[in-house]
Amino acid sequence: MAPEGIADDARVLAVGFDAEHAGTATGWWTDRTETTSDGIGDIETVSSTAAALEALEERPVDCVLIAQPPSDGNGIDLVERIRERDPELPIVYAARDGDESLAAETVAAGVTEYVPSERSGTALTAALERAIERGANRRDRRARARQFGAVFDDPETYAWVLAPDGSVRRANEPALEAIDATEADVRGRPFPELAWWQRTGAGSTILRSAVERAANGTVVHRELQVGRGGADDSADDRRTLEVTIRPVRDDSGAVVSLLARASDVTERVALERELRESEELHRVTLNNMTDTVLITDDAGEFTYVCPNVHFIFGYDDDAIHEMGTIDDLLGPELYDHEALEEDGVLTNIECTATDRAGREHTLLVNVREVSIQDGTILYSCRDVTKRKRREEALTALHRTARELLYAESEREIADIVVDDATDVLDLEASGAYLFDRDENVLEPVASSPGLNRLNGPLAPRRANADSISGRVFVEGDAEFFADVADSAALANPATDVRSAGVVPLGDHGVFLVGSSEIDAFDDVTRELTDLLAATAEAALDRVARERTLRERDRELQRQNRKLTRLDRVNEIIREIDAALVRAETREEIEAAVCERLTSADRFSFAWIGTTDVANERLEANTHGGTGRGREYLDGVSLSLADANEPAARTAATREVTVVSNVVDRLRDEPWRSEALSREYQSVAGVPLAYDEFTYGVLTVYADRPDAFDGVTRTVLAELGETIASAIAAVERKQALLTDSRTRLEFDVYDDSFVFSRLARRADCTLSFDGGVRLHENGASVFTTVEGGSPQAVVDAAADLVAVEGVQVIDSPDVDDSDSEGDGNGNGGSGSADTAGGTVLLELSPPFLALQLADHGVVLRSVEATPEATRVVVDVPRTVDAGGSVDVVSSAFADVDLHAKRSVDRTTARDLRSELLERLTERQLEVVQLAYYSGYFTSPRERSGEDVADALGISPAAFYRHIRTVQRKLFTILFDEIGLPANTVSAVE
């Protein structure tokens, strides 16, 4: 028999039944044709897997009972096949011969209930009941989910599922589209704080209270006005939403979620408002009209007729009396007699009456019980025919005016006015011209189908009196024609338009209306035409005014932003310039710059770095701003090889680098995510360069995109030059005060260098020890010639632009007999194999020594051979030696650093500098020429007279200058420095 207790309407498919197993000792099975009376509504038995699957195809069941392995497979296979078809269908597996392993396999395959062989029939019944109930519950939940989904996804309603605390769990598609958001944007956010409700004034507060009440179990309804979100929202720009928040409870009655829905009731609210406005207009109109009063007896016969009855009906009072009863005038069944007896007065009964000329009038009738002579009922009749017509037209005009509020262009306004003119004016033809100021022409922009049918397409018109439209536009006065055929200015003699009206639209154009009937314009029609044209003109004025205001606002905003930026930049520059003037060291300059740039929330972070040539990376010297800047510098790569970070890129390219928005290419360059995590959204890198020498990189970070516009970039670039110039100045100053320095030796392979070119051309060695005399047009350099003839150097320099002049100072004559001795037994000083001498080179600017001096670097010596040139410079400790390498390298096309060492001077002040400070220009010139001419050699290569002659002075003057120089030198050496005689060579 079937298990007891199963619902009567349950349908069970039993698999594994056959004649052999029916009626076994367990009593679980029954023949498929047997009808049970103890609970089973329908049991169908099959023996094989194929039959079971076929049965499931034919009709649905509530549960599948697998009692023993089917004849064509095992029960596990059947369970898996069923699960592929329907993952939710309840399956009960009643094992005839099973163990724990079988139980585990069936559960893994997806059975709902497993009943082992040792359990009783009662256990099977309970398992079937549970399985069927579970399946029914699942179907019920799915049905309710579908119902909720249909309600929640209603495209006409905005819906949200909220947590009891008001945070958003879900939002339907219309709600997301309304605020241009995604599910992730709103999930977890408080419902009253969504962007939509920020446009409702106190809407967030109202909704917050509503959510709290709904969380306590109350259904809450609220009406809110939501704007478009613009600053110029007006009342007509806003929509009215009806918001309902309902609590959702679980089986225990606790509120587990909230369902919020919002419906757009703007149109309903607007209609209610329009209705109220219309009723008010109706009452005002009635109060200003003259009524006709009639009194009758109970039978309806007239007892009184007012004298003005002819204004409405065209009859005099005698004709009205002769008419008979009120029913003949106003029609039968005008009012409910029982209602009049109950209320005593019935007002505003509208009826239609025909006057004596056959014209229909619309009347408003008030009926009141009275007792006046023989009269018992008073009728107050008001002719509202014109008002009725005007009211209908005004309703249409109000709709048009509302549409015009949203129009954004002149053509759109023209289309709206022309389309609505038929409803407002009850005329079939209408059109509009707009004035083209560039061409001085009225251009047709809109015309109704009726106008096209009666007149054909409109043609452009000149703004003059040659046409009706042109004349009306120029003179500004409307014109109406009972028959346009009578007008001398008729533009189209073949037109079927007869009555016409042309109304100016201010300076914007003209509006024209027409009809195929003659004299179609009465007072009401003309009034409405003027009103419609005035409404269109106001809309056109608004569009033009808004366009002008928008353009003006944009221009003012641009100017204000520009002025604000300029004021801000000027303030920064003034502060930095003042700090640069006061700074005594490079460290003070860099600290002042970073501090000024980041003070008062100007920029978020600024730092200055210099290039580490050895490691090819940028090293931070000074920074200012938030502490997050240090973390940023530690977290990014400043390698010049990568050159992705703006500072490193600036150091590599020596050009201004600006990143307007860090978010761009966020995943391509790791430094961008590091910057964004610290709220740096735009970056500018500026090289600190002066006279082709770079002192590092200034990098500035801002907390907003596009912080570095064209003006700011230009100012920062100029600021970089100013900072570099200030650094160069303090380094030059400190270079004069320091005794310790770094000596750099360079091998130069640049054929354009004047010494290299002269050495190669003259095939000799040229050298000088740093002695340079400056004058207005360049520099004078005493140059020693070895291994060649000084005259060859003169010849080689003849066509060089860099050499302004050359003079041989010392050139021993190897053929002179005096060269064998000086008369005192000393040998000669030269031979053909050791030819040489000294030349004075006048070099045009810029000269290398001057370029180096601008950066605090001293040119010590130059030695040039036909193959290569050696340049030696001294760099004070206060000057960046690495940067000095750069300045020397930038002066030549091909140069290598040969050696680098530290040198110390043995005195507090340099002997050479001290002596040069005490010598006059003439004394220095005399002693230099004497020295390089060989006057001080032993034996002398030139006598004092020869040198004096070369200088163009007398021998006495020459000797006087020489003795003066010697006295000053010895005074410094022995009296002021106090060195013993044997230390002089060490100083030199």
Side-chain angles (χ1 to χ4, degrees), residues 363-380:
L363 307 178
L364 282 180
V365 181
N366 293 336
V367 183
R368 181 185 300 273
E369 289 183 341
V370 296
S371 179
I372 302 176
Q373 298 179 351
D374 296 331
T376 57
I377 302 176
L378 181 147
Y379 298 85
S380 175

Side-chain angles (χ1 to χ4, degrees), residues 327-360:
D327 291 345
D328 297 323
L329 184 64
L330 300 180
E333 300 180 356
L334 178 64
Y335 61 92
D336 186 345
H337 293 274
E338 294 180 357
L340 180 61
E341 290 178 0
E342 181 178 350
D343 298 332
V345 61
L346 299 176
T347 60
N348 293 335
I349 301 173
E350 185 175 313
C351 67
T352 302
T354 304
D355 66 9
R356 187 172 185 175
R359 295 186 295 265
E360 259 190 7

Side-chain angles (χ1 to χ4, degrees), residues 747-873:
D747 288 332
V748 176
Y749 305 97
D750 188 348
D751 292 340
S752 64
F753 186 35
V754 61
F755 284 95
S756 300
R757 181 169 295 185
L758 288 174
R760 188 175 63 256
R761 285 188 173 188
D763 192 21
C764 65
T765 298
L766 300 178
S767 62
F768 84 103
D769 62 354
V772 179
R773 291 181 55 228
L774 302 180
H775 50 78
E776 183 178 356
N777 298 322
S780 299
V781 178
F782 287 97
T783 305
T784 300
V785 181
E786 297 178 0
S789 168
Q791 187 58 42
V793 176
V794 173
D795 297 339
D799 60 347
L800 293 183
V801 177
V803 181
E804 295 288 344
V806 59
Q807 179 181 358
V808 177
I809 301 302
D810 177 28
S811 180
D813 186 0
V814 297
D815 296 327
D816 191 343
S817 59
D818 292 340
S819 63
E820 296 296 324
D822 60 357
N824 297 319
N826 297 322
S829 62
S831 68
D833 296 331
T834 58
T838 303
V839 295
L840 176 63
L841 294 177
E842 300 288 344
L843 302 176
S844 59
F847 182 52
L848 177 63
L850 304 181
Q851 293 176 291
L852 296 176
D854 280 342
H855 303 286
V857 181
V858 179
L859 179 62
R860 292 292 301 177
S861 65
V862 174
E863 181 178 331
T865 68
E867 292 78 23
T869 300
R870 175 69 54 83
V871 174
V872 180
V873 300

Side-chain angles (χ1 to χ4, degrees), residues 600-628:
D601 296 330
R602 291 164 172 165
F603 296 103
S604 298
F605 180 52
W607 67 285
I608 293 176
T610 54
T611 303
D612 183 346
V613 179
N615 297 323
E616 294 188 350
R617 68 185 310 274
L618 202 60
E619 295 288 349
N621 290 355
T622 310
H623 55 77
T626 62
R628 291 176 297 180

Side-chain angles (χ1 to χ4, degrees), residues 472-519:
V472 168
F473 175 73
V474 172
E475 297 178 358
D477 297 322
E479 295 187 17
F480 291 91
F481 303 90
D483 188 351
V484 295
D486 298 334
S487 172
L490 179 66
N492 181 10
T495 183
D496 291 330
V497 174
R498 286 295 171 257
S499 299
V502 184
V503 185
L505 299 176
D507 296 334
H508 307 286
V510 294
F511 171 58
L512 52 90
V513 290
S515 173
S516 58
E517 299 178 1
I518 297 177
D519 199 13

Side-chain angles (χ1 to χ4, degrees), residues 687-746:
L688 304 181
Y690 170 70
D691 193 19
E692 300 183 1
F693 179 67
T694 301
Y695 289 90
V697 175
L698 168 64
T699 313
V700 186
Y701 302 76
D703 60 359
R704 64 190 184 280
D706 300 315
F708 303 98
D709 57 8
V711 174
T712 306
R713 296 182 191 184
T714 302
V715 171
L716 286 177
E718 294 176 354
L719 178 61
E721 295 181 7
T722 303
I723 297 170
S725 176
I727 293 174
V730 298
E731 288 188 345
R732 284 196 303 271
K733 178 179 179 180
Q734 292 179 350
L736 298 175
L737 303 177
T738 183
D739 296 324
S740 179
R741 56 188 64 207
T742 301
R743 179 158 295 173
L744 304 176
E745 297 183 9
F746 296 90

Side-chain angles (χ1 to χ4, degrees), residues 171-185:
N172 70 356
E173 194 63 29
L176 294 174
E177 291 178 353
I179 60 174
D180 192 20
T182 64
E183 188 83 15
D185 293 336

